[in-house]
Amino acid sequence: MKEIEEGSSLQLDFTKLRKVAQAASPVLPVVVQDADSREVLVVAYANREALDHTLKTGVATFWSTSRNELWIKGATSGDTLQLVDVRVNCEQNSLLYLVRMVGSGVCHTRDAQGETRRTCYYRSLKEGELTFREGIK
Amino acid sequence: MKEIEEGSSLQLDFTKLRKVAQAASPVLPVVVQDADSREVLVVAYANREALDHTLKTGVATFWSTSRNELWIKGATSGDTLQLVDVRVNCEQNSLLYLVRMVGSGVCHTRDAQGETRRTCYYRSLKEGELTFREGIK
């Protein structure tokens, strides 16, 4: 079990953004939201190429800042995210992708039943501890 | 009129994340979502101090990476964001604040009627142009 992902202790990783910012290609944060349930599913990053690929194919695409390559979410599993809308914030420094899930979830983790979790935000912070929100909307 | 904020041309700012990552205090991206309408309102950044302040006061607080200080959204105007829940993603490198708005909007921009916009994501990208979503859910 990975404590970070499956534990109840808060161990925030403040190093990620610095790594993202040091990637060869400049990126924006992308909030991915389910167009129907309006659940926030994941935050990822996109460069110009990833955005262009998303618009051209209608499939949510990101930039993997660790692998320095296009990351077409679900390309291997078939669980892609079909694009419904792309929104841009006031300062044009972040994106919001509204999507429909082809598969059952976007998170790379699995719940106690072995199912892919719908959203990466499956834990709430309550009195300093992480509590699991499984089955709760 | 600020073309970036009120124009229809896409002029994405890929420099922001680098500036954020260079801030003195390490931060995480925070997605702010309306707990009732489930609209995504804004993406901001928080360091440990901002998260602690949020939890302690129940008012959504961020870290201003440009001013290097706590940024209590709406502290001046009174239009604060009351915290409903804090969620943490799988890898513990981003946060989701569910909030209720005290005022009418979170964006610093105003619509054609002079009203504060509810969300920063008031434009959709359609065929290479930004279209305003005013009045659309």
Side-chain angles (χ1 to χ4, degrees), chain A residues 11 13 85 92 94 121 124, chain B residues 11 13 85 92 94 121 124:
Chain A
Q11 300 181 38
D13 172 12
D85 199 11
Q92 299 207 31
S94 70
Y121 297 93
S124 287
Chain B
Q11 300 181 38
D13 173 11
D85 199 11
Q92 300 208 31
S94 70
Y121 297 93
S124 286

Side-chain angles (χ1 to χ4, degrees), chain A:
Chain A
M1 188 188 87
K2 289 179 77 174
E3 178 64 23
I4 295 273
E5 296 177 350
E6 302 300 334
S8 60
S9 77
L10 188 66
Q11 300 181 38
L12 293 174
D13 172 12
F14 285 93
T15 67
K16 168 77 175 181
L17 263 197
R18 291 199 171 169
K19 287 180 215 151
V20 165
Q22 283 158 7
S25 187
V27 292
L28 306 173
V30 184
V31 180
V32 183
Q33 184 178 27
D34 187 300
D36 301 312
S37 72
R38 301 178 77 83
E39 217 171 352
V40 173
L41 304 172
V42 63
V43 168
Y45 298 89
N47 62 0
R48 177 75 63 171
E49 187 183 346
L51 174 59
D52 287 347
H53 190 274
T54 300
L55 294 169
K56 191 174 144 199
T57 62
V59 173
T61 307
F62 308 99
W63 185 252
S64 166
T65 55
S66 53
R67 299 190 306 273
N68 277 310
E69 61 182 28
L70 272 188
W71 172 34
I72 306 166
K73 186 109 183 76
T76 313
S77 64
D79 291 354
T80 54
L81 300 172
Q82 300 294 311
L83 188 74
V84 174
D85 199 11
V86 173
R87 295 186 189 156
V88 180
N89 75 322
C90 47
E91 294 176 335
Q92 299 207 31
N93 54 27
S94 70
L95 297 172
L96 171 62
Y97 286 180
L98 276 92
V99 302
R100 289 209 169 89
M101 280 193 241
V102 172
S104 56
V106 307
C107 192
H108 73 287
T109 66
R110 290 172 183 272
D111 65 16
Q113 284 71 46
E115 304 287 332
T116 297
R117 291 189 174 103
R118 284 178 56 80
T119 169
C120 293
Y121 297 93
Y122 51 86
R123 289 174 297 186
S124 287
L125 182 56
K126 305 279 183 206
E127 292 165 13
E129 293 275 303
L130 297 175
T131 60
F132 284 72
R133 301 178 46 252
E134 249 101 76
I136 309 167
K137 278 292 260 190

